[in-house]
Amino acid sequence: MAMELFVLSDKQLNSVVEWQAAIDGEGYPIRLAGNEPIESLKGFLRAQLRDTKTGFECNVWPAGVFMREMSGVNFGHEWKYVLAFRWGGNLSQVPAVWMAATAYAKATNGVVFNEEEGKIRSATDAQTVVGDIEREMPEMEALLRDLKST
């Protein structure tokens, strides 16, 4: 099952390099691969979370179309940009996506929208989610190891 997360903003970063600088500014242990312009992102974006190779799909979507399709959601105002994240079942993708999305939202004064929860979070609230995920990861990894060994 694919999971999705979206950053809505009125500003767009110029490149993956600028995005990486925002991630570094947050102190997140994730490295994005590449240096392409943000507007050309389409498909899988390789990343490394600490010592683990990971990544996620990352695409720029038309904001107006996205918000019309989500007509039941009050986004507060008409955002100009949407950066969409999609990932699958790899556990390392969860913190990687949340860290990348949170840093992007903070750098662009945007918000993070989790469609599954139907929640819109400020960058500050998304930072709390990142902290929660980081605290829960060891327990989740242990649970997966136990499931694999049975």
Side-chain angles (χ1 to χ4, degrees):
M1 178 175 114
M3 305 293 291
E4 292 181 318
L5 198 66
F6 306 91
V7 174
L8 294 94
S9 63
D10 288 327
K11 175 186 170 191
Q12 190 174 49
L13 296 180
N14 293 313
S15 67
V16 172
V17 171
E18 189 177 356
W19 187 5
Q20 183 63 55
I23 290 168
D24 294 344
E26 294 301 308
Y28 293 145
I30 180 174
R31 301 284 318 159
L32 303 178
N35 60 4
E36 58 267 22
I38 295 295
E39 70 259 6
S40 70
L41 289 176
K42 189 175 184 178
F44 193 77
L45 179 61
R46 292 179 295 113
Q48 185 157 335
L49 179 63
R50 294 183 187 85
D51 296 329
T52 303
K53 290 182 181 180
T54 188
F56 43 85
E57 288 183 38
C58 189
N59 299 284
V60 176
W61 285 4
V65 172
F66 176 78
M67 290 190 303
R68 278 191 300 280
E69 289 177 357
M70 299 284 173
S71 60
V73 178
N74 179 2
F75 288 106
H77 76 277
E78 291 289 319
W79 295 97
K80 292 181 182 177
Y81 301 101
V82 174
L83 190 60
F85 300 79
R86 179 178 284 164
W87 69 99
N90 185 326
L91 192 58
S92 68
Q93 292 174 308
V94 177
V97 166
W98 273 96
M99 288 174 187
T102 298
Y104 195 92
K106 186 172 179 191
T108 60
N109 295 315
V111 295
V112 178
F113 174 57
N114 183 337
E115 182 182 6
E116 183 180 337
E117 294 178 335
K119 268 193 171 176
I120 299 169
R121 290 181 170 87
S122 68
T124 301
D125 290 343
Q127 288 171 317
T128 301
V129 173
V130 170
D132 292 346
I133 290 169
E134 286 284 86
R135 278 187 296 284
E136 295 169 6
M137 281 300 289
E139 185 179 329
M140 296 299 291
E141 290 167 340
L143 179 62
L144 282 176
R145 278 192 302 276
D146 289 348
L147 286 173
K148 288 180 181 177
S149 66
T150 49

